[in-house]
Amino acid sequence: MADFYVRKEGVGKVSVLNVKGFLDAHTAPELENAFNSLIDSKQFKVVVNFRDLQYISSAGLGVFMAYVETMRENSGDIKFSNLKDEVYNIFDLLGFPLLYEFFKDEKDAIEKFIQAK
């Protein structure tokens, strides 16, 4: 099984999900569990830090599509940061930059939430 983990950190009212390894059909449920935990605790402003993500499949991409509407319906959003070029290219090919905001640094993504108050 591919190596993957999600580590949650809180930065004020913004939650940061650090993802590492390979995000595919086998590991996507772990990311789903992380989003469900955030929703259960009413945390709807989420930055996903991709610094340590090596690979993402369509199943992994689908997780973000499944949860963005819930986050936005609750005055939140999902923002992406620290993507490697090869991972960003996958998002770009599928048109994700039209739906999500991408940031080079986690700090910039968090700041965008703070400025939007």
Coordinates of all heavy atoms in Angstrom, one line a residue, residues 3-72:
D3 N 2.3 4.9 0.7 CA 2.5 5.7 1.9 C 1.8 7.0 1.8 O 2.0 7.7 0.8 CB 4.0 5.9 2.1 CG 4.3 6.6 3.4 OD1 3.6 6.5 4.4 OD2 5.3 7.4 3.4
F4 N 1.0 7.3 2.8 CA 0.3 8.6 2.8 C -0.1 8.9 4.2 O -0.4 8.1 5.0 CB -1.0 8.5 2.0 CG -1.9 9.7 2.0 CD1 -1.5 10.8 1.2 CD2 -3.0 9.8 2.8 CE1 -2.3 12.0 1.2 CE2 -3.8 11.0 2.8 CZ -3.4 12.1 2.0
Y5 N -0.1 10.2 4.6 CA -0.6 10.6 5.8 C -1.1 12.1 5.7 O -0.7 12.8 4.9 CB 0.3 10.5 7.0 CG 1.3 11.6 7.2 CD1 1.0 12.8 7.8 CD2 2.6 11.4 6.8 CE1 1.9 13.8 7.9 CE2 3.6 12.3 7.0 CZ 3.2 13.5 7.6 OH 4.2 14.5 7.7
V6 N -2.1 12.4 6.6 CA -2.6 13.8 6.7 C -2.4 14.2 8.2 O -2.7 13.5 9.1 CB -4.1 13.8 6.5 CG1 -4.7 15.2 6.6 CG2 -4.5 13.2 5.1
R7 N -1.8 15.3 8.3 CA -1.6 15.9 9.7 C -2.3 17.2 9.7 O -2.1 18.1 8.9 CB -0.1 16.1 9.9 CG 0.2 16.4 11.4 CD 1.6 16.7 11.7 NE 2.0 17.9 11.1 CZ 3.1 18.0 10.2 NH1 3.8 17.0 9.9 NH2 3.4 19.2 9.7
K8 N -3.2 17.4 10.7 CA -3.9 18.6 10.9 C -3.3 19.5 11.9 O -2.8 19.1 12.9 CB -5.4 18.3 11.3 CG -6.2 19.5 11.5 CD -7.6 19.1 12.0 CE -8.1 20.3 12.9 NZ -8.8 20.0 14.0
E9 N -3.3 20.8 11.5 CA -2.8 21.9 12.4 C -3.8 23.0 12.4 O -4.5 23.2 11.4 CB -1.4 22.4 11.9 CG -0.3 21.4 11.9 CD 1.0 22.0 11.3 OE1 0.9 23.2 10.8 OE2 2.0 21.3 11.3
G10 N -3.9 23.7 13.4 CA -4.8 24.8 13.5 C -4.0 26.1 13.5 O -3.1 26.2 14.3
V11 N -4.4 27.1 12.7 CA -3.8 28.4 12.8 C -4.9 29.4 12.9 O -5.5 29.8 12.0 CB -3.0 28.7 11.5 CG1 -2.3 30.0 11.6 CG2 -2.0 27.6 11.2
G12 N -5.3 29.6 14.2 CA -6.5 30.5 14.5 C -7.7 29.8 14.0 O -7.9 28.6 14.3
K13 N -8.5 30.5 13.2 CA -9.7 29.9 12.7 C -9.5 29.1 11.4 O -10.5 28.7 10.8 CB -10.8 31.0 12.5 CG -11.2 31.6 13.8 CD -12.4 32.5 13.7 CE -12.7 33.0 15.0 NZ -14.1 33.1 15.3
V14 N -8.3 29.0 11.0 CA -7.9 28.3 9.7 C -7.3 27.0 10.1 O -6.4 26.9 11.0 CB -7.0 29.1 8.9 CG1 -6.6 28.4 7.6 CG2 -7.6 30.5 8.5
S15 N -7.7 25.9 9.5 CA -7.1 24.6 9.7 C -6.2 24.3 8.5 O -6.5 24.6 7.3 CB -8.2 23.5 9.7 OG -9.1 23.7 10.8
V16 N -5.1 23.7 8.8 CA -4.1 23.4 7.8 C -4.0 21.8 7.7 O -3.8 21.2 8.8 CB -2.7 24.0 8.0 CG1 -1.7 23.5 7.0 CG2 -2.8 25.5 8.1
L17 N -4.2 21.3 6.6 CA -4.0 19.8 6.4 C -2.7 19.7 5.6 O -2.6 20.1 4.5 CB -5.2 19.2 5.6 CG -6.5 19.2 6.2 CD1 -7.6 18.6 5.3 CD2 -6.5 18.5 7.6
N18 N -1.7 19.1 6.2 CA -0.5 18.7 5.6 C -0.6 17.3 5.0 O -0.8 16.4 5.8 CB 0.7 18.8 6.6 CG 0.9 20.2 7.0 OD1 1.4 21.1 6.3 ND2 0.6 20.5 8.3
V19 N -0.4 17.2 3.7 CA -0.5 15.9 3.1 C 0.8 15.4 2.6 O 1.6 16.2 2.2 CB -1.6 15.8 2.0 CG1 -3.0 16.1 2.5 CG2 -1.2 16.9 0.9
K20 N 1.1 14.1 2.8 CA 2.4 13.6 2.4 C 2.2 12.2 1.8 O 1.4 11.4 2.2 CB 3.3 13.4 3.7 CG 4.6 12.8 3.4 CD 5.4 12.7 4.7 CE 6.8 12.1 4.3 NZ 7.7 12.0 5.5
G21 N 3.0 12.0 0.7 CA 3.1 10.7 0.1 C 2.3 10.6 -1.2 O 2.3 11.5 -2.0
F22 N 1.5 9.5 -1.3 CA 0.8 9.2 -2.5 C -0.7 9.2 -2.2 O -1.2 8.4 -1.4 CB 1.1 7.8 -3.1 CG 2.5 7.8 -3.6 CD1 3.6 7.8 -2.7 CD2 2.8 7.8 -4.9 CE1 4.9 7.7 -3.2 CE2 4.1 7.8 -5.5 CZ 5.1 7.8 -4.6
L23 N -1.5 10.2 -2.8 CA -2.9 10.3 -2.6 C -3.6 9.6 -3.8 O -3.6 10.2 -4.9 CB -3.3 11.7 -2.5 CG -4.8 12.1 -2.3 CD1 -5.3 11.3 -1.1 CD2 -5.0 13.6 -2.1
D24 N -4.2 8.4 -3.6 CA -4.8 7.7 -4.6 C -6.1 7.0 -4.1 O -6.5 7.4 -3.0 CB -3.9 6.7 -5.3 CG -3.3 5.7 -4.2 OD1 -3.9 5.5 -3.1 OD2 -2.3 5.0 -4.6
A25 N -6.7 6.1 -4.8 CA -7.9 5.5 -4.4 C -7.8 4.7 -3.0 O -8.7 4.6 -2.3 CB -8.4 4.5 -5.4
H26 N -6.6 4.2 -2.8 CA -6.3 3.5 -1.5 C -6.2 4.4 -0.3 O -6.5 4.1 0.8 CB -5.1 2.6 -1.6 CG -5.2 1.6 -2.7 ND1 -6.0 0.5 -2.5 CD2 -4.6 1.5 -3.9 CE1 -5.9 -0.3 -3.6 NE2 -5.1 0.3 -4.5
T27 N -5.7 5.6 -0.6 CA -5.4 6.5 0.5 C -6.4 7.7 0.7 O -6.4 8.4 1.7 CB -3.9 7.1 0.4 OG1 -3.8 7.8 -0.8 CG2 -2.9 6.0 0.5
A28 N -7.2 7.9 -0.4 CA -8.2 9.0 -0.3 C -9.1 8.9 0.9 O -9.4 10.0 1.4 CB -9.0 9.0 -1.6
P29 N -9.5 7.7 1.4 CA -10.4 7.7 2.5 C -9.8 8.4 3.8 O -10.5 9.0 4.6 CB -10.6 6.2 2.8 CG -10.5 5.6 1.4 CD -9.4 6.4 0.8
E30 N -8.4 8.4 3.9 CA -7.8 9.0 5.0 C -8.0 10.5 4.9 O -8.2 11.2 5.9 CB -6.3 8.7 5.0 CG -5.6 9.1 6.3 CD -4.2 8.6 6.4 OE1 -3.8 7.6 5.8 OE2 -3.5 9.2 7.2
L31 N -7.9 11.1 3.7 CA -8.2 12.5 3.5 C -9.6 12.8 3.7 O -10.0 13.9 4.3 CB -7.7 12.9 2.1 CG -7.9 14.4 1.8 CD1 -7.1 15.3 2.8 CD2 -7.4 14.7 0.4
E32 N -10.5 11.9 3.3 CA -11.9 12.1 3.5 C -12.2 12.2 5.0 O -13.0 13.0 5.5 CB -12.8 11.0 2.9 CG -12.7 11.1 1.4 CD -13.4 9.8 0.7 OE1 -13.5 8.8 1.4 OE2 -13.8 10.0 -0.4
N33 N -11.6 11.3 5.8 CA -11.8 11.3 7.2 C -11.3 12.6 7.8 O -12.0 13.1 8.8 CB -11.0 10.1 7.9 CG -11.6 8.8 7.6 OD1 -12.8 8.7 7.2 ND2 -10.8 7.7 7.7
A34 N -10.2 13.2 7.3 CA -9.8 14.5 7.8 C -10.8 15.6 7.6 O -11.0 16.4 8.4 CB -8.4 14.8 7.2
F35 N -11.3 15.6 6.4 CA -12.4 16.6 6.1 C -13.6 16.4 6.9 O -14.2 17.3 7.4 CB -12.7 16.6 4.6 CG -11.8 17.4 3.7 CD1 -10.8 16.9 2.9 CD2 -11.8 18.8 3.8 CE1 -10.0 17.7 2.2 CE2 -11.0 19.6 3.1 CZ -10.0 19.0 2.3
N36 N -14.0 15.1 7.1 CA -15.2 14.9 7.9 C -15.0 15.3 9.4 O -15.9 15.9 10.0 CB -15.6 13.4 7.9 CG -16.2 13.0 6.6 OD1 -16.8 13.8 5.9 ND2 -16.0 11.8 6.1
S37 N -13.8 15.1 9.8 CA -13.5 15.6 11.2 C -13.5 17.1 11.3 O -14.1 17.7 12.3 CB -12.0 15.1 11.6 OG -11.6 15.7 12.8
L38 N -13.1 17.8 10.3 CA -13.1 19.3 10.2 C -14.6 19.7 10.2 O -15.0 20.7 11.0 CB -12.4 19.8 9.0 CG -10.9 19.7 9.0 CD1 -10.3 20.1 7.7 CD2 -10.3 20.5 10.1
I39 N -15.4 19.1 9.4 CA -16.8 19.5 9.3 C -17.5 19.2 10.7 O -18.3 20.0 11.1 CB -17.5 18.7 8.2 CG1 -17.0 19.2 6.8 CG2 -19.0 18.8 8.2 CD1 -17.3 18.4 5.6
D40 N -17.2 18.1 11.3 CA -17.8 17.7 12.6 C -17.5 18.8 13.6 O -18.3 19.1 14.5 CB -17.4 16.4 13.1 CG -18.0 15.2 12.2 OD1 -19.0 15.5 11.5 OD2 -17.5 14.1 12.3
S41 N -16.3 19.4 13.5 CA -15.9 20.4 14.5 C -16.1 21.8 14.0 O -15.6 22.8 14.5 CB -14.4 20.2 14.9 OG -13.6 20.2 13.7
K42 N -16.9 21.9 12.9 CA -17.3 23.2 12.3 C -16.1 24.1 11.9 O -16.1 25.3 12.2 CB -18.3 23.9 13.3 CG -19.5 23.1 13.6 CD -20.6 23.9 14.2 CE -21.8 23.1 14.5 NZ -22.3 22.2 13.5
Q43 N -15.1 23.4 11.4 CA -14.0 24.2 10.8 C -14.1 24.1 9.3 O -13.8 23.0 8.7 CB -12.7 23.5 11.3 CG -12.6 23.6 12.9 CD -11.4 22.8 13.4 OE1 -11.0 21.8 12.8 NE2 -10.8 23.3 14.4
F44 N -14.4 25.2 8.7 CA -14.7 25.3 7.3 C -13.6 26.0 6.5 O -13.8 26.1 5.3 CB -16.1 25.8 7.1 CG -17.1 25.1 7.8 CD1 -17.8 25.6 8.9 CD2 -17.5 23.8 7.3 CE1 -18.8 24.9 9.5 CE2 -18.5 23.1 8.0 CZ -19.1 23.6 9.1
K45 N -12.7 26.6 7.1 CA -11.6 27.3 6.4 C -10.4 26.5 6.4 O -9.8 26.3 7.5 CB -11.3 28.7 7.1 CG -12.6 29.6 7.0 CD -12.3 30.9 7.6 CE -13.6 31.8 7.5 NZ -13.5 33.1 8.2
V46 N -10.0 25.9 5.3 CA -9.0 24.9 5.2 C -7.9 25.3 4.2 O -8.2 25.6 3.0 CB -9.6 23.5 4.8 CG1 -8.5 22.5 4.8 CG2 -10.7 23.2 5.8
V47 N -6.7 25.2 4.6 CA -5.5 25.2 3.7 C -5.0 23.8 3.6 O -4.7 23.2 4.6 CB -4.5 26.2 4.2 CG1 -3.2 26.2 3.3 CG2 -5.0 27.6 4.2
V48 N -4.8 23.3 2.4 CA -4.1 22.0 2.2 C -2.7 22.3 1.7 O -2.5 22.9 0.6 CB -4.9 21.2 1.2 CG1 -4.2 19.8 1.0 CG2 -6.3 21.0 1.6
N49 N -1.8 21.9 2.5 CA -0.3 22.1 2.2 C 0.2 20.8 1.5 O 0.2 19.8 2.1 CB 0.5 22.4 3.4 CG 1.9 22.8 3.1 OD1 2.5 22.2 2.2 ND2 2.4 23.7 3.9
F50 N 0.6 21.0 0.2 CA 1.0 19.9 -0.6 C 2.5 19.7 -0.6 O 3.0 18.9 -1.4 CB 0.5 20.0 -2.0 CG -1.0 19.9 -2.2 CD1 -1.9 20.9 -2.0 CD2 -1.5 18.7 -2.6 CE1 -3.2 20.8 -2.1 CE2 -2.9 18.5 -2.7 CZ -3.7 19.6 -2.5
R51 N 3.2 20.4 0.2 CA 4.7 20.4 0.2 C 5.3 19.0 0.1 O 6.2 18.7 -0.7 CB 5.3 21.1 1.4 CG 6.8 21.1 1.5 CD 7.3 21.8 2.7 NE 6.6 21.4 3.9 CZ 5.9 22.2 4.7 NH1 5.8 23.5 4.5 NH2 5.2 21.8 5.8
D52 N 4.7 18.0 0.8 CA 5.3 16.7 0.8 C 4.5 15.6 0.1 O 4.7 14.4 0.2 CB 5.4 16.2 2.3 CG 6.4 17.1 3.1 OD1 7.4 17.4 2.5 OD2 6.1 17.4 4.3
L53 N 3.6 16.1 -0.8 CA 2.8 15.2 -1.6 C 3.6 14.8 -2.9 O 4.0 15.7 -3.6 CB 1.4 15.8 -2.0 CG 0.5 14.7 -2.6 CD1 -0.1 13.8 -1.5 CD2 -0.6 15.4 -3.4
Q54 N 3.7 13.6 -3.1 CA 4.5 13.1 -4.3 C 3.6 12.8 -5.5 O 4.1 13.0 -6.6 CB 5.3 11.8 -3.9 CG 6.2 12.0 -2.7 CD 7.2 13.1 -3.0 OE1 7.8 13.1 -4.0 NE2 7.4 13.9 -2.0
Y55 N 2.4 12.4 -5.3 CA 1.5 12.0 -6.4 C 0.1 12.1 -6.0 O -0.3 12.0 -4.8 CB 1.8 10.5 -6.6 CG 0.8 9.8 -7.6 CD1 0.9 10.0 -9.0 CD2 -0.2 9.1 -7.1 CE1 0.0 9.4 -9.9 CE2 -1.2 8.5 -8.0 CZ -1.0 8.7 -9.4 OH -1.9 8.1 -10.2
I56 N -0.8 12.5 -6.9 CA -2.2 12.6 -6.7 C -2.9 11.9 -7.9 O -2.6 12.2 -9.1 CB -2.7 14.0 -6.4 CG1 -4.2 14.0 -6.0 CG2 -2.4 14.9 -7.6 CD1 -4.6 15.3 -5.4
S57 N -3.9 11.1 -7.6 CA -4.7 10.5 -8.7 C -6.1 11.2 -8.8 O -6.4 12.0 -8.0 CB -4.9 9.0 -8.4 OG -5.8 8.8 -7.3
S58 N -6.9 10.7 -9.7 CA -8.2 11.3 -9.9 C -9.0 11.1 -8.6 O -9.9 11.9 -8.2 CB -8.9 10.7 -11.1 OG -9.0 9.3 -11.0
A59 N -8.8 9.9 -7.9 CA -9.5 9.7 -6.7 C -9.2 10.8 -5.6 O -10.0 11.2 -4.9 CB -9.2 8.3 -6.1
G60 N -7.9 11.1 -5.6 CA -7.5 12.2 -4.7 C -8.1 13.5 -5.0 O -8.5 14.3 -4.2
L61 N -8.1 13.8 -6.3 CA -8.7 15.1 -6.8 C -10.2 15.1 -6.4 O -10.7 16.2 -6.0 CB -8.5 15.2 -8.3 CG -7.1 15.4 -8.8 CD1 -7.0 15.2 -10.3 CD2 -6.5 16.7 -8.4
G62 N -10.8 14.0 -6.5 CA -12.3 13.9 -6.2 C -12.6 14.3 -4.8 O -13.7 14.8 -4.5
V63 N -11.7 14.0 -3.9 CA -12.0 14.4 -2.5 C -12.2 15.9 -2.3 O -13.1 16.3 -1.7 CB -10.8 13.9 -1.6 CG1 -11.0 14.4 -0.1 CG2 -10.7 12.4 -1.6
F64 N -11.4 16.6 -3.0 CA -11.5 18.1 -2.9 C -12.8 18.6 -3.5 O -13.5 19.5 -3.0 CB -10.3 18.8 -3.5 CG -9.0 18.4 -2.9 CD1 -8.1 17.6 -3.5 CD2 -8.8 18.8 -1.6 CE1 -6.9 17.2 -2.9 CE2 -7.6 18.4 -0.9 CZ -6.7 17.6 -1.6
M65 N -13.2 17.9 -4.6 CA -14.5 18.3 -5.3 C -15.6 18.0 -4.4 O -16.6 18.7 -4.4 CB -14.6 17.6 -6.6 CG -13.6 18.0 -7.7 SD -13.6 19.8 -8.0 CE -15.2 19.9 -8.8
A66 N -15.5 16.9 -3.6 CA -16.6 16.4 -2.8 C -16.9 17.3 -1.6 O -18.0 17.4 -1.1 CB -16.3 15.0 -2.3
Y67 N -15.8 18.0 -1.1 CA -15.9 18.8 0.1 C -16.0 20.3 -0.1 O -16.4 21.0 0.8 CB -14.8 18.5 1.1 CG -15.0 17.1 1.6 CD1 -14.4 16.0 1.1 CD2 -15.8 16.9 2.8 CE1 -14.6 14.7 1.6 CE2 -16.1 15.6 3.3 CZ -15.5 14.5 2.7 OH -15.7 13.3 3.2
V68 N -15.6 20.8 -1.2 CA -15.5 22.3 -1.4 C -16.9 22.9 -1.2 O -17.0 24.0 -0.6 CB -14.8 22.7 -2.7 CG1 -15.7 22.4 -3.9 CG2 -14.5 24.1 -2.7
E69 N -17.9 22.3 -1.7 CA -19.2 23.0 -1.6 C -19.7 23.1 -0.2 O -20.2 24.1 0.2 CB -20.3 22.1 -2.4 CG -21.6 22.8 -2.6 CD -22.5 22.1 -3.5 OE1 -22.0 21.5 -4.5 OE2 -23.7 22.2 -3.3
T70 N -19.5 22.1 0.6 CA -19.8 22.1 2.0 C -19.1 23.2 2.7 O -19.6 24.0 3.5 CB -19.5 20.8 2.7 OG1 -20.3 19.8 2.1 CG2 -19.8 20.8 4.2
M71 N -17.8 23.4 2.4 CA -17.0 24.4 3.0 C -17.5 25.8 2.6 O -17.7 26.7 3.5 CB -15.5 24.3 2.6 CG -14.9 23.0 3.0 SD -15.0 22.7 4.8 CE -14.2 21.1 5.0
R72 N -17.8 26.0 1.4 CA -18.3 27.3 0.9 C -19.7 27.6 1.4 O -20.0 28.8 1.7 CB -18.2 27.3 -0.6 CG -16.7 27.4 -1.1 CD -16.6 27.3 -2.6 NE -15.2 27.4 -2.9 CZ -14.7 27.2 -4.2 NH1 -15.6 26.9 -5.2 NH2 -13.4 27.3 -4.4

